[in-house]
Amino acid sequence: MKSKAVFYHAGCPVCIAAEQNIAIALDPERFDVEIVHLGDAKHRVAGAEAEGVRSVPALVIDGVAYHINFGADITALR
Amino acid sequence: MKSKAVFYHAGCPVCIAAEQNIAIALDPERFDVEIVHLGDAKHRVAGAEAEGVRSVPALVIDGVAYHINFGADITALR
């Protein structure tokens, strides 16, 4: 069974770079990667925060948040 | 041809978690992943800094550094 990975971003340049180089780099045999733009999908912000996301871009793998560089604080996206 | 990815860490708990969940998650069909423990391999610190690594754990893909969460400042590893 594949693991679930969610890449949260907000369309910022730092986010796009991370998306194109990290999110896309995950092994498709092992991960279902969902890309979520929190600027567009505001209803996903609370869920991201509950998973531990404090800033974007962030990658959540199996429920654990990894912050990749720093684009924007999630409080700016609520 | 595979891309080169280098995961720099220092053995800290944050580093180990990132290694086991991010570095290991990269697609082996597209990436040759090298794991470098900067605490053991001090001669690699200068090169990591030249690639833009400011803290560990960090993943460098095709020469671009991505800092994943925060374990230790690289200046503490010189």
Side-chain angles (χ1 to χ4, degrees):
Chain A
M1 197 180 117
K2 289 189 185 183
S3 291
K4 171 86 175 172
V6 185
F7 180 77
Y8 292 105
H9 73 112
C12 58
V14 171
C15 296
I16 301 297
E19 178 183 342
Q20 294 179 341
N21 288 289
I22 304 283
I24 301 301
L26 299 184
D27 185 354
E29 294 290 317
R30 290 179 288 149
F31 296 92
D32 277 322
V33 182
E34 182 188 14
I35 309 283
V36 177
H37 187 316
L38 290 176
D40 294 338
K42 296 244 178 223
H43 64 286
R44 299 290 298 271
V45 172
E49 288 187 300
E51 289 180 309
V53 174
R54 295 290 169 261
S55 62
V56 289
L59 184 66
V60 176
I61 295 185
D62 290 332
V64 180
Y66 296 94
H67 300 90
I68 301 167
N69 291 346
F70 181 84
D73 197 282
I74 199 163
T75 59
L77 301 169
R78 285 177 188 157
Chain B
M1 196 181 117
K2 290 190 185 183
S3 291
K4 171 86 175 174
V6 185
F7 180 77
Y8 291 105
H9 74 112
C12 58
V14 171
C15 296
I16 300 298
E19 177 183 342
Q20 293 179 340
N21 288 290
I22 304 283
I24 300 302
L26 299 183
D27 185 355
E29 295 289 317
R30 291 177 288 150
F31 296 93
D32 277 322
V33 182
E34 181 188 13
I35 310 284
V36 176
H37 187 315
L38 290 176
D40 294 339
K42 296 246 178 221
H43 64 287
R44 298 289 298 270
V45 172
E49 289 186 300
E51 288 179 309
V53 175
R54 295 290 169 261
S55 62
V56 289
L59 184 65
V60 176
I61 296 184
D62 290 332
V64 180
Y66 297 94
H67 301 91
I68 302 168
N69 291 345
F70 181 84
D73 197 282
I74 200 164
T75 58
L77 301 170
R78 285 176 187 157

